[in-house]
Amino acid sequence: MKQSKDPFEAALEEQEESPPDSPVGEDELNSQAPNETQNQTDGGQNILVDDDDYDDIGSNSKNPSHPSSSLTPKLHSTSINANVAAAVTNKNKEYDDDEEEENVEVELSKFPSSADPAKMAKMQTILSQFTEDQMSRYESFRRSALQKSNMRRLLVSITGSQKISLPMTIVVCGIAKMFVGELVEKARMVMTERKESGPIRPCHIREAYRRLKFEGKVPKRSVQRLFR
Amino acid sequence: MSNPSAGTPSKAKAGSSQPSEASFKRKRGVFQKDLQHMMYGFGDDANPFPETVTLVEDIVVEYVTDLAHKAQDIGSKRGKLSVEDFLYLIRKDTPKLNRCTELLSMQEELKQARKAFEVDEEKLATLE
């Protein structure tokens, strides 16, 4: 499994699926449940762990190497949401706008859907019934991400501008990851149509890419790419 | 249009790790390791073929390049490039848009939490 991934980035992805639990076996789920309630009061402490892991541009990424220990911060993240909400509403919303302003995203009233207990419960029941294979695949899905530093380098080389903000890098990484997902899923569909099995081959990816282009999910070049 | 992964010799494998400012030198296999895990997570085999991973990386880089170029075109009207331009480009793609807004709001929350934590730390320091 990937170790160098930011655990908090993984936690961010968890919010999408809205479970507070980590993609580990049931025992860990049960053992972490009491910790969650305890951490409700200890939100500040947990935030430090998550933040340091999250901000890798500041080059202080303390990524725990052990998988289970790196998963525990993820559990705390949803308990942090409640604390963050309380903390934020008490503080003044002053942003040092040294980077491009994200005032659009400031309305913290739109909390991630993980606050929805029904969805969380559903996810938990599903996750508890995963086989080992499914669990490891799910863990890869949640924890994998493109490196922000590499993406930033790529964006700088494309745009020629040095001022690539952190939110932009994060957004592009997220978009690219979802695009990879679309590609791989469509390639699998192509494989089932052709009744093939095993690892995905480049021809499947190319066919998937063609289909995506036809559906209009891939931005078309206005100018033909002449020199590769 | 999609060239085979072997057909990109112009992107020389510059062994140097110099930050590319204006030069378009790009090492092959920048995202290889991450992509392998990602593809496994999305449904591929545990050990995907290297050619497949290279091809997916090429496609992703091309996708990001096209996206960034389009965003730059939009952003040039405003003056500078911002996140809004990317969000505008994916507006039709609902899952991606939702995911991006979620990521951004989480990042804002984090920033706030970090600030709150730093303030607390200062208070503690001054107390002692």
Side-chain angles (χ1 to χ4, degrees):
Chain A
M1 285 301 123
K2 190 163 169 48
Q3 303 303 336
S4 58
K5 179 177 176 342
D6 294 338
F8 198 79
E9 180 76 349
L12 284 188
E13 286 154 347
E14 266 199 344
Q15 304 309 325
E16 184 194 26
E17 308 293 322
S18 75
D21 34 74
S22 61
V24 186
E26 298 175 31
D27 298 337
E28 184 123 353
L29 279 175
N30 294 336
S31 64
Q32 291 291 359
N35 286 347
E36 264 195 55
T37 52
Q38 181 195 350
N39 288 328
Q40 287 288 344
T41 56
D42 201 15
Q45 202 64 30
N46 300 331
I47 291 169
L48 174 62
V49 174
D50 287 334
D51 287 351
D52 283 340
D53 295 329
Y54 181 70
D55 189 7
D56 72 339
I57 283 189
S59 74
N60 58 344
S61 50
K62 292 190 285 190
N63 285 320
S65 53
H66 195 269
S68 59
S69 66
S70 68
L71 287 173
T72 51
K74 286 197 290 183
L75 266 183
H76 305 161
S77 60
T78 49
S79 62
I80 286 172
N81 283 341
N83 295 339
V84 166
V88 166
T89 51
N90 293 339
K91 301 267 189 263
N92 276 340
K93 289 183 189 174
E94 282 188 58
Y95 310 117
D96 40 319
D97 289 334
D98 43 350
E99 35 176 69
E100 274 100 284
E101 51 277 89
E102 281 308 318
N103 294 331
V104 178
E105 323 302 341
V106 156
E107 53 265 46
L108 291 160
S109 54
K110 70 167 176 239
F111 289 122
S113 57
S114 64
D116 180 11
K119 208 170 172 197
M120 270 163 34
K122 228 200 288 187
M123 267 317 283
Q124 222 162 355
T125 53
I126 295 176
L127 283 177
S128 58
Q129 296 185 357
F130 268 2
T131 63
E132 277 247 3
D133 189 40
Q134 289 173 328
M135 194 49 99
S136 89
R137 201 180 279 271
Y138 183 67
E139 188 177 355
S140 274
F141 163 65
R142 295 309 291 259
R143 301 182 61 191
S144 66
L146 301 175
Q147 292 242 348
K148 290 201 273 273
S149 47
N150 287 335
M151 186 58 77
R152 186 174 186 279
R153 205 177 302 149
L154 176 64
L155 282 175
V156 163
S157 78
I158 294 172
T159 63
S161 140
Q162 287 286 340
K163 281 201 292 187
I164 304 287
S165 61
L166 179 63
M168 197 181 304
T169 316
I170 294 173
V171 162
V172 175
C173 283
I175 294 177
K177 176 171 175 179
M178 295 190 69
F179 180 68
V180 170
E182 286 175 358
L183 261 182
V184 171
E185 286 171 6
K186 220 173 199 62
R188 272 295 181 202
M189 279 170 52
V190 167
M191 279 182 85
T192 51
E193 282 173 22
R194 298 187 191 173
K195 302 205 178 30
E196 292 168 352
S197 63
I200 299 181
R201 298 206 300 277
C203 62
H204 305 127
I205 300 275
R206 283 197 206 102
E207 174 62 26
Y209 183 63
R210 257 175 244 131
R211 293 194 190 179
L212 281 180
K213 263 204 291 191
F214 183 70
E215 290 175 16
K217 300 218 170 131
V218 176
K220 291 208 185 101
R221 306 193 65 93
S222 48
V223 178
Q224 276 299 319
R225 186 164 217 179
L226 296 173
F227 307 108
R228 284 225 169 204
Chain B
M1 164 160 178
S2 54
N3 294 333
S5 53
T8 55
S10 60
K11 302 265 180 10
K13 192 174 195 165
S16 64
S17 54
Q18 46 176 306
S20 49
E21 292 124 1
S23 62
F24 202 49
K25 261 184 271 189
R26 181 167 68 84
K27 289 191 259 200
R28 306 306 306 291
V30 188
F31 295 120
Q32 291 259 327
K33 284 215 161 118
D34 309 316
L35 271 184
Q36 278 178 4
H37 294 291
M38 205 184 286
M39 286 171 70
Y40 172 59
F42 278 119
D44 197 358
D45 220 41
N47 295 314
F49 285 144
E51 307 94 50
T52 316
V53 179
T54 313
L55 176 63
V56 170
E57 182 192 343
D58 282 345
I59 291 180
V60 165
V61 167
E62 186 177 339
Y63 177 77
V64 168
T65 309
D66 292 344
L67 206 64
H69 277 313
K70 284 201 157 166
Q72 228 175 356
D73 291 338
I74 296 176
S76 65
K77 295 177 199 152
R78 187 198 311 243
K80 60 181 179 179
L81 183 61
S82 94
V83 190
E84 312 277 323
D85 306 323
F86 284 101
L87 293 181
Y88 174 76
L89 282 173
I90 57 170
R91 69 194 185 284
K92 293 284 176 61
D93 199 339
T94 319
K96 291 210 181 79
L97 186 62
N98 292 339
R99 174 72 178 149
C100 286
T101 47
E102 186 186 336
L103 282 174
L104 285 170
S105 66
M106 282 302 300
Q107 204 240 342
E108 272 304 310
E109 274 191 48
L110 254 189
K111 216 158 82 165
Q112 288 307 302
R114 214 177 296 152
K115 258 198 205 134
F117 186 76
E118 277 170 19
V119 170
D120 292 338
E121 268 220 337
E122 280 176 24
K123 277 195 211 154
L124 281 175
T126 50
L127 278 176
E128 294 159 14

